[in-house]
Amino acid sequence: MLEIVLKDLKLMFRERTFVSIVFLLVFVASISSVITFGLIMLYNPEYLGYEGKAKVAVVGECSLGDCYDEKTAMELFREGKVDAVLIFSETGRMKYVDVVVPDDEIKAMQVLTYVKKLLVKYEEELRSKLGVPNLQIKAYYNGREIKVPSGSSTVFKFIYLILIPLLSVTTAVVAAGMTIDSVCEEIQMGSLEVLLSTPLSPFRISIAKVLSPVIFSAGLIILWLSLLSLNGVEIHDPVAAFLISLSITAFFIAAGYIMAAKLKDRERTQLFFSIITAGALPLMVTKAASPAVMVGRAAAGSTFNVPIAAGFAFVSFVILAISPFIARMDR
C-alpha cells in the first residue's frame, strides 16, 4: 500500500495543471505582503501616506467647495470636469448627502478617500455649530497610546476574510481533483487490473488512493501557513487553522473519491464534481460558522464556534474513513 501512496504522490507532481495551481498557491502565500500593499495602494492610498485629490462640485452646502445648482453640477460631472458631486439636502432636523462618483471602481475608491475627508470636516463643523461634543476614541497598548491607521481594517479583512479562506478552499479543491484523476486513471488505463492481481485487496487500494492526497494537502497547508508567517502575517492559532483547513480538504477528497469510484470516468466525474463544488463553495465562505471562514478566524486569533468546527472535522474525517467502504475500486 505504501508503494501506491508514493507512486500517486510522484504522479501528482507530473500533472502540469495541478502543479501550476499549487505553484500559484505557494506564490500567492509567499508574496502576500506585496499583494496586500498593492491592494491598499489601489483602494486606500491614505493608509500608506498618500493623500488623494479630487475636484468636487457641491450642491446646497457652499462651505465645502465650489457651489453649483444640481443641474450644472451634474453636467460638469458628465463632462469629466469634476470627479464627484455632493448633493446636500435637509428634512426637518435631519441632513442628508448624496454622493455621485465615477462608475470605475478604482477611480471611485480614490475619489471617496478625498470625499470622506470633506464629510468628516463637515461633521466637525456641524458638531461645533450645534454644540455637540466631538468624542475622540483613542487606542492604548501596554499603557501607551498608539495610532491606528484608518485603512488597517482593509488589510485585516483582505488577509483573514479573503486570502486565507481562499487558500484553504483552493487546497481542498486541488486535492480532490488530484484524487479524481488518480482513481479514474487507474480504471481507464487498465492499471487497476495489475493492482488487483497483487496481494493488495480493493479496500487497501482504495485507502491508498485517499491517503495520498491527504498527505499532499497536509504538507501544502503547512507550507502556505509558514509562508504567510514569514511575510509578517500573524497566525495566532496555527494548529486550529491547520486542522479546520485539513478537514475541508478531507471532505472534498472523500466526495471526489466516491464520485470517481462510482462513475469510473474522468470527464463525467470532473463535471459532476465541479457542479457540486460550485454549489458548496458559498456555504463554505458566507457565514461566520462556515469552515473556510473559521480558518481565517482561527488564524486571526478571533473566537469561532469550536463545537461546529469540531463537528465538521469529525464528520469530514468519518466520511473520508468510510469512503473506501462506500465505493471500492474494482472491475
Side-chain angles (χ1 to χ4, degrees):
M1 191 173 70
L2 180 60
E3 289 77 7
I4 299 176
V5 173
L6 294 175
K7 183 198 74 171
D8 286 346
L9 289 174
K10 290 179 181 178
L11 290 175
M12 286 178 182
F13 290 98
R14 293 180 184 177
E15 184 64 37
R16 293 183 180 179
T17 303
F18 290 116
V19 170
S20 299
I21 298 174
V22 170
F23 174 77
L24 181 61
L25 282 175
V26 173
F27 180 73
V28 169
S30 62
I31 63 165
S32 56
S33 58
V34 177
I35 295 175
T36 304
F37 180 88
L39 176 78
I40 302 306
M41 187 67 181
L42 286 174
Y43 286 93
N44 198 349
E46 183 183 7
Y47 175 69
L48 299 173
Y50 295 94
E51 295 188 5
K53 293 291 183 179
K55 296 180 180 179
V56 179
V58 182
V59 178
E61 189 61 57
C62 298
S63 63
L64 293 179
D66 297 333
C67 196
Y68 304 90
D69 60 85
E70 184 173 345
K71 182 179 179 181
T72 303
M74 292 306 298
E75 287 180 355
L76 291 173
F77 178 76
R78 282 190 288 267
E79 293 172 0
K81 295 181 179 179
V82 296
D83 300 310
V85 177
L86 301 183
I87 304 174
F88 289 84
S89 59
E90 186 173 352
T91 303
R93 300 181 62 182
M94 301 295 294
K95 291 183 178 290
Y96 300 91
V97 56
D98 294 316
V99 182
V100 182
V101 295
D103 290 332
D104 182 80
E105 186 178 356
I106 295 177
K107 178 65 176 177
M109 291 300 297
Q110 293 173 341
V111 170
L112 285 173
T113 301
Y114 180 75
V115 169
K116 179 182 176 181
K117 293 180 181 179
L118 289 180
L119 294 179
V120 169
K121 177 183 176 182
Y122 178 66
E123 179 187 11
E124 292 174 351
E125 290 179 356
L126 281 181
R127 285 178 178 274
S128 177
K129 186 183 299 183
L130 299 175
V132 178
N134 191 6
L135 301 178
Q136 294 183 351
I137 299 177
K138 297 182 178 180
Y140 291 87
Y141 180 74
N142 290 335
R144 298 177 61 184
E145 182 181 352
I146 58 173
K147 293 184 178 181
V148 180
S150 61
S152 57
S153 62
T154 306
V155 179
F156 182 89
K157 290 176 183 177
F158 173 72
I159 292 175
Y160 296 106
L161 296 182
I162 299 177
L163 181 61
I164 292 179
L166 181 62
L167 290 172
S168 177
V169 172
T170 306
T171 300
V173 173
V174 169
M178 289 179 169
T179 306
I180 292 171
D181 277 7
S182 176
V183 172
C184 292
E185 184 175 320
E186 297 284 10
I187 296 172
Q188 293 181 295
M189 299 297 291
S191 54
L192 180 60
E193 300 288 340
V194 178
L195 291 176
L196 291 174
S197 65
T198 66
L200 289 174
S201 64
F203 175 71
R204 291 172 67 86
I205 295 172
S206 300
I207 292 178
K209 288 299 177 182
V210 298
L211 187 59
S212 303
V214 170
I215 295 173
F216 170 81
S217 57
L220 184 57
I221 293 169
I222 292 173
L223 179 59
W224 58 254
L225 283 174
S226 302
L227 289 172
L228 287 174
S229 297
L230 291 174
N231 271 267
V233 176
E234 291 189 63
I235 308 297
H236 293 270
D237 194 343
V239 175
F242 170 78
L243 291 176
I244 300 172
S245 185
L246 189 62
S247 67
I248 298 173
T249 301
F251 179 82
F252 275 84
I253 290 174
Y257 168 79
I258 293 172
M259 293 179 197
K262 289 288 187 182
L263 297 176
K264 297 180 172 61
D265 180 79
R266 179 185 295 183
E267 291 184 1
R268 286 195 301 160
T269 304
Q270 291 284 15
L271 175 61
F272 190 55
F273 177 77
S274 299
I275 295 172
I276 297 298
T277 301
L281 283 180
L283 301 177
M284 291 279 185
V285 297
T286 54
K287 302 294 182 180
S290 300
V293 174
M294 285 193 286
V295 176
R297 293 176 71 90
S302 179
T303 58
F304 60 93
N305 197 314
V306 176
I308 291 181
F312 176 78
F314 176 77
V315 171
S316 297
F317 286 111
V318 166
I319 295 175
L320 181 67
I322 65 174
S323 59
F325 294 97
I326 298 174
R328 292 190 183 184
M329 290 182 64
D330 51 30
R331 298 179 178 88

